[in-house]
Amino acid sequence: MTVLYVLDVPENTAVATVAAGDPETVVDRIGPYFAIRSDDEVVIDRRATGCRHAVWYSCVAGVSPGSRIVRHDKDALRVAPD
């Protein structure tokens, strides 16, 4: 399972909202974080979130063991299983 953690603050809400739009992805909350989970990859399009670059590049709080960030650029964030 792939899990991306994003701090639950107003600036990051759009990241969780866009992720939740993928039928293969589940968004939960763990403490002060959104836990964005998928059995495969988590892929989020930056333009769909409306996030400016500073928010986009600072939204990642962490990933679960067995997951890794394979793309995080101006267009997309992709987290995949190891």
Side-chain angles (χ1 to χ4, degrees), residues 4-62:
L4 166 66
Y5 297 100
V6 175
L7 186 62
D8 182 359
V9 294
E11 295 85 357
N12 294 335
T13 302
V15 175
T17 300
V18 169
D22 181 347
E24 302 296 316
T25 303
V26 174
V27 178
D28 294 321
R29 284 193 174 85
I30 296 178
Y33 300 97
F34 292 110
I36 302 170
R37 305 171 192 272
S38 176
D39 287 333
D40 192 24
E41 294 185 339
V42 172
V43 180
I44 303 169
D45 179 88
R46 184 192 63 82
R47 289 184 182 96
T49 67
C51 289
R52 298 179 62 86
H53 289 180
V55 171
W56 178 249
Y57 287 115
S58 64
C59 73
V60 175

Side-chain angles (χ1 to χ4, degrees), residues 49-80:
T49 67
C51 289
R52 298 179 62 86
H53 289 180
V55 171
W56 178 249
Y57 287 115
S58 64
C59 73
V60 175
V63 297
S64 65
S67 302
R68 64 186 172 101
I69 297 172
V70 294
R71 180 180 182 188
H72 192 195
D73 59 23
K74 66 183 176 88
D75 297 318
L77 171 58
R78 190 171 128 225
V79 182

